[in-house]
Amino acid sequence: GESVGLHLPTLSVQEGDNSIINCAYSNSASDYFIWYKQESGKGPQFIIDIRSNMDKRQGQRVTVLLNKTVKHLSLQIAATQPGDSAVYFCAENEGGADGLTFGKGTHLIIQP
Amino acid sequence: DVKVTQSSRYLVKRTGEKVFLECVQDMDHENMFWYRQDPGLGLRLIYFSYDVKMKEKGDIPEGYSVSREKKERFSLILESASTNQTSMYLCASSWTGGTGELFFGEGSRLTVL
């Protein structure tokens, strides 16, 4: 069943603002988490990942935060640009053979 | 550059037709997956395979079958397409012993009339 969820199906932000996309997970045994970006008409693409022994990981303009106490994952995008408009999925690796478990996705809309 | 290639980006089929969706990966990954993606439902796993000729049912296997005759190729088959199988189909692969990261193809949008 669904063990990874997102708080908002749609998030609208002004261009240039920071975006925060949230995700809750329920399996405390998950040891690896990924954020994917899916642009319209394309397949999901890897953005950033984090292992369960870390709290924070930074990439270029993106930061992932992991709070294991409350089983919460977030993706922060700095200085949001029009090209950031997409659906963002969190996913967790519960260790099963059937791969990652995905959330339903948040559609990030960039307002000019 | 690693690549997962889905042979058809857009297909239109009629109810009752047999449909083949092909997926090829060039990363020598052991694991391959087929998902369907529908608005509001996210990604749902149809079938996966962890080795040649091996297959496992995912969450929604009904109405589908798969074939993995070669390591690099994983095919999804709709024996008799129905309108409720209109969807975006995504193929993915991963490496056994890795983090579990999935590499996705660009997707195949199937419309069944």
Side-chain angles (χ1 to χ4, degrees):
Chain A
E2 181 68 55
S3 70
V4 177
L6 292 172
H7 297 297
L8 292 173
T10 303
L11 177 65
S12 183
V13 299
Q14 292 291 126
E15 183 178 346
D17 287 353
N18 297 334
S19 303
I20 300 176
I21 302 171
N22 295 304
C23 181
Y25 65 95
S26 58
N27 191 339
S28 57
S30 293
D31 61 359
Y32 177 71
F33 304 86
I34 300 181
W35 282 100
Y36 285 94
K37 174 185 180 182
Q38 186 177 22
E39 296 176 89
S40 181
K42 296 186 177 181
Q45 291 183 302
F46 171 95
I47 303 174
I48 193 168
D49 59 0
I50 189 168
R51 292 185 181 274
S52 59
N53 61 353
M54 302 171 69
D55 298 320
K56 179 179 179 180
R57 191 161 188 228
Q58 288 184 288
Q60 188 176 12
R61 281 203 307 119
V62 294
T63 301
V64 55
L65 299 176
L66 177 63
N67 185 332
K68 295 179 286 295
T69 303
V70 294
K71 299 195 194 76
H72 185 267
L73 191 69
S74 69
L75 176 71
Q76 299 178 0
I77 305 173
T80 312
Q81 301 170 356
D84 295 328
S85 181
V87 176
Y88 291 82
F89 296 92
C90 63
E92 63 177 323
N93 186 352
E94 299 181 80
D98 59 351
L100 301 174
T101 301
F102 289 89
K104 288 190 171 54
T106 292
H107 185 192
L108 181 64
I109 298 170
I110 313 303
Q111 303 283 1
Chain B
D1 199 16
V2 296
K3 204 163 178 65
V4 178
T5 303
Q6 294 184 230
S7 56
S8 302
R9 292 297 311 276
Y10 301 95
L11 302 96
V12 180
K13 298 291 182 181
R14 297 208 174 271
T15 300
E17 281 193 85
K18 192 169 185 176
V19 182
F20 291 89
L21 298 179
E22 304 285 340
C23 176
V24 177
Q25 51 94 4
D26 64 0
M27 296 166 280
D28 201 35
H29 283 169
E30 295 88 354
N31 307 310
M32 296 188 75
F33 304 81
W34 274 106
Y35 292 88
R36 66 176 283 177
Q37 184 178 33
D38 301 287
L41 297 177
L43 287 156
R44 292 183 291 168
L45 182 63
I46 305 172
Y47 267 96
F48 65 101
S49 168
Y50 53 87
D51 202 352
V52 176
K53 299 192 183 295
M54 304 303 291
K55 59 183 179 183
E56 294 287 341
K57 292 180 180 179
D59 299 318
I60 52 162
E62 296 78 18
Y64 303 95
S65 62
V66 290
S67 173
R68 187 135 182 235
E69 295 298 316
K70 293 185 178 181
K71 189 176 185 180
E72 67 271 19
R73 187 179 298 269
F74 193 35
S75 303
L76 180 68
I77 303 152
L78 288 68
E79 291 289 342
S80 178
S82 63
T83 55
N84 63 12
Q85 292 179 308
T86 292
S87 187
M88 169 73 98
Y89 291 88
L90 289 164
C91 176
S93 69
S94 71
W95 171 54
T96 297
T99 59
E101 178 186 353
L102 292 177
F103 295 82
F104 284 90
E106 290 292 281
S108 299
R109 182 161 294 281
L110 172 66
T111 301
V112 183
L113 303 175

